[in-house]
Amino acid sequence: MRCVRVVSAALLALGVAAGPAAADTSPSPSGDLGRDSSAPTRAGTSFRTATEIEQEQRATADGAAGDYLYWSFPADAGQRPTVRATVKLPDTHAAETWQVDVYDGLRRRQSCQWGAQTRTAAAGTSSVELACVLRTVRAWSEPWANDPLPGTYYVRLTAVRLPTSDLGLPVGTEVRVASRDMGGAAAVDGSLSEPLVPGVAVASREDGEGAGDASDPPVLSAIEPEDGWSSGWWSDRWVWTAVGGALAALAGVGGYALTRGSGRPRQGPPGSPGA
């Protein structure tokens, strides 16, 4: 009976501990896209002028065929970002091939796990949709590795094969980034001291009248996750470690309760042999 109680208590503890961890990994609802009326409406033309966007934010921009369009967004440890881009083409155009590329804070091109990163729009097609699902962002990696790390990521959208007749034609673009939290399965033993976020020597002109005092620290990129940079110090692996320790303790108590007294000599009634 005691063994049954021990197992029941262990299963109850496991269910209570695992419930919040599973809830935290659910993606943000798509309805949040409409909550921000200040979504960017233009893109940058280089890494240095990339337009900053937040995850789950819909950014739009008008451009011309042949332009390089850049956006940047933050990605933290344990996230697996998905970049989606839509290019709206003019009514009359030849066959065009568009491509979306993603770079990390060190401007290293990151490979896509899956998704239509490059697509060709046939003549007369009204739009073309692209997607790139990155690998899970790691909290730490070897210096020689090309693993995605916490920090700023850049999205570059451009036409890679474009007929001369289509150069300069107006196009409309739409970019959205969303991430899935991969949880403790993606946790590693280690973390960066600082995320890979680019720094600038002077403040933005929009934030002040001048560059400020020379003793002021460099101004970093303004974008970061809503809850700040975690740098991989917390994951639901801590929860499972605690649950495992609790189960081990319960198993020890249950084993002791089942086996205690088995080594004692059995005493018979008074007057019997061995009493």
Side-chain angles (χ1 to χ4, degrees):
M1 189 65 180
R2 290 183 178 178
C3 182
V4 175
R5 292 178 180 176
V6 169
V7 174
S8 300
L11 293 176
L12 180 61
L14 180 62
V16 172
D24 292 340
T25 60
S26 59
S28 300
S30 57
D32 294 341
L33 295 177
R35 66 183 179 183
D36 188 2
S37 60
S38 61
T41 56
R42 58 182 175 179
T45 57
S46 67
F47 287 102
R48 294 178 61 87
T49 61
T51 299
E52 298 177 351
I53 62 175
E54 299 177 359
Q55 293 198 28
E56 301 291 347
Q57 188 178 42
R58 175 178 169 270
T60 58
D62 293 329
D67 290 345
Y68 285 88
L69 306 177
Y70 289 82
W71 294 266
S72 63
F73 67 93
D76 206 357
Q79 294 182 340
R80 188 173 66 186
T82 297
V83 178
R84 299 186 183 277
T86 302
V87 182
K88 299 178 181 179
L89 304 172
D91 296 335
T92 304
H93 65 85
E96 302 178 1
T97 300
W98 287 80
Q99 179 171 305
V100 59
D101 296 302
V102 183
Y103 299 81
D104 65 6
L106 299 178
R107 299 186 185 179
R108 303 177 302 180
R109 185 176 179 273
Q110 293 295 319
S111 59
C112 303
Q113 280 189 316
W114 59 78
Q117 184 181 6
T118 303
R119 268 189 170 178
T120 299
T125 304
S126 60
S127 64
V128 58
E129 296 184 356
L130 308 169
C132 176
V133 180
L134 296 177
R135 294 172 294 165
T136 303
V137 178
R138 295 166 57 90
W140 178 85
S141 177
E142 296 287 349
W144 48 262
N146 194 38
D147 296 323
L149 296 169
T152 300
Y153 283 77
Y154 298 92
V155 178
R156 185 179 72 182
L157 180 63
T158 188
V160 293
R161 286 192 292 273
L162 189 68
T164 305
S165 58
D166 285 0
L167 281 173
L169 289 180
V171 295
T173 62
E174 178 181 316
V175 172
R176 178 185 170 222
V177 180
S179 287
R180 178 182 177 185
D181 189 356
M182 303 307 294
V188 296
D189 295 329
S191 62
L192 298 179
S193 58
E194 294 291 341
L196 300 179
V197 177
V200 294
V202 295
S204 172
R205 294 181 180 179
E206 297 179 357
D207 297 335
E209 299 179 355
D213 191 357
S215 60
D216 292 341
V219 179
L220 297 178
S221 177
I223 54 175
E224 66 176 23
E226 293 183 0
D227 300 330
W229 299 103
S230 66
S231 298
W233 74 270
W234 166 258
S235 71
D236 58 6
R237 192 165 67 168
W238 288 89
V239 176
W240 293 108
T241 301
V243 171
L247 290 177
L250 291 173
V253 173
Y256 174 77
L258 292 174
T259 59
R260 69 172 182 173
S262 60
R264 295 181 181 178
R266 191 173 182 181
Q267 295 182 356
S272 62

